[in-house]
Structures are given as structure tokens and as C-alpha cells.
């Protein structure tokens, strides 16, 4: 398996979900992790940037953290994400809290295999694709899978959550 195993990859394997793992060299100076993944993988895999999704951890005003998964080129609408998850408002979660809760480092947070599974909203644009890519739980590592499998394994709701 490219790049080794992570909790996200193990979750897919245990659930017997068809997936592919793709690795690319992560530049430690990069802080735009999604853009780095798009630049490294889009052409090579024959996908567009909108098929590569980022995982953002948000804090709901109703209490607790949640996850929003959306295409890398897009911006999250915190209002739309909160509404989709049944909360009045949301804000971006504190980095340390996000890392501690998910068990992943920023730039490598996967919607799968989190230390504590968080409520998840997947941008409904994912439904246009037969496959999408999201973090495999480590910078420089992406998982390719069917959107339906991601929805099923994360119990995600789908909604338009981009600004």
C-alpha cells in the first residue's frame, strides 16, 4: 500500500470498500495542503480539482465539533454547514482541538478513521462524480473512493456547503 497504513485506510479495508491510495511528496514548507494535493495528483490521475476534497473541522454553536468535506478549490460556507448539521452557527475549530479530537494532524485530517467519529457534511457536488479523493490521514496521502462509500462510512449528510 502506497505510503503505509493509516486509521482511514484501515477503516476502508475493514469495511471491504473498494479504494485506491495515492501518495505524493509533501513539501513540509507548504501550508496549502489541498492545493498541493491537486497540483500533485489531478493531471496524473485524470481528475479535476473539484474531485479532490478537503476535510475541515468546524465547531458548532450547539456544541461539539463536526467535519465539512468539500472540493479543494471551494470555500466553506460556515452558515450552510451549520444548517446542514442542525446548528444555528459554526466557526472553524481550533487547530489543537481538531487534531486532538480526530487523531490526525492539520493537512492530513481524513473524514474516515477519526479517533472520535464526528458528525459529517459532504458537499453535494460530490454526487456528480463516480470517484473522489480525500485525505488518507497523512499529508501526502490521498484515498480515491466512491462518494456513496464515503457517505455510508461517515454517516454524512450531503448539502451545498460552499460559499
Amino acid at each position: 500500500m502506497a505510503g503505509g497504513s493509516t486509521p482511514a485506510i484501515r477503516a476502508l479495508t475493514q469495511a471491504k470498500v473498494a479504494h485506491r491510495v495515492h501518495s505524493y511528496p509533501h513539501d513540509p514548507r507548504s501550508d496549502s495542503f489541498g492545493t498541493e494535493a491537486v497540483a500533485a495528483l489531478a493531471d496524473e490521475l485524470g481528475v479535476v480539482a473539484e474531485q479532490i476534497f478537503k476535510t475541515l473541522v468546524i465547531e458548532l454553536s450547539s456544541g461539539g465539533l463536526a467535519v465539512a468535506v468539500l472540493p479543494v478549490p471551494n470555500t466553506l460556507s460556515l452558515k450552510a454547514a451549520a444548517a446542514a448539521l442542525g446548528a444555528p452557527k459554526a466557526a472553524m475549530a481550533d487547530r489543537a482541538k481538531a487534531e486532538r479530537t480526530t487523531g490526525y494532524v492539520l493537512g492530513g485530517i481524513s473524514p474516515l478513521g477519526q479517533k472520535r467519529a464526528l458528525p459529517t457534511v459532504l458537499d453535494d457536488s460530490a454526487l456528480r462524480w463516480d470517484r473522489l479523493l480525500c485525505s488518507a490521514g497523512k499529508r501526502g496521502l490521498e484515498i480515491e473512493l466512491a462518494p456513496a462509500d464515503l457517505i455510508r462510512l461517515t454517516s454524512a449528510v450531503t448539502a451545498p456547503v460552499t460559499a
Side-chain angles (χ1 to χ4, degrees):
M1 218 172 277
S5 187
T6 65
I9 295 168
R10 287 192 294 277
L12 288 169
T13 303
Q14 287 169 358
K16 296 181 176 26
V17 168
H19 66 281
R20 292 176 59 201
V21 178
H22 302 282
S23 63
Y24 59 92
H26 164 64
D27 180 350
R29 295 167 300 187
S30 175
D31 60 359
S32 183
F33 307 109
T35 304
E36 183 182 48
V38 168
L41 297 175
D43 288 343
E44 177 187 329
L45 301 177
V47 297
V48 295
E50 290 77 14
Q51 279 178 273
I52 301 177
F53 282 63
K54 58 188 171 186
T55 306
L56 302 177
V57 180
I58 59 176
E59 188 147 11
L60 302 174
S61 60
S62 55
L65 298 181
V67 170
V69 185
L70 62 152
V72 166
N74 297 33
T75 303
L76 177 65
S77 164
L78 287 163
K79 185 177 181 176
L85 294 165
K89 288 189 203 171
M92 292 305 297
D94 170 72
R95 176 186 183 149
K97 196 173 190 178
E99 291 179 342
R100 189 172 52 250
T101 304
T102 63
Y104 294 119
V105 298
L106 196 72
I109 294 177
S110 177
L112 298 158
Q114 297 168 356
K115 192 189 298 183
R116 193 175 97 223
L118 297 174
T120 301
V121 60
L122 175 64
D123 186 67
D124 64 356
S125 69
L127 303 174
R128 295 192 335 230
W129 310 109
D130 61 344
R131 62 186 175 136
L132 61 79
L133 286 96
C134 64
S135 176
K138 183 178 172 189
R139 295 173 186 161
L141 210 55
E142 294 282 311
I143 300 169
E144 178 183 334
L145 74 164
D149 289 327
L150 180 61
I151 292 165
R152 184 172 51 83
L153 291 176
T154 60
S155 301
V157 295
T158 58
V161 294
T162 60

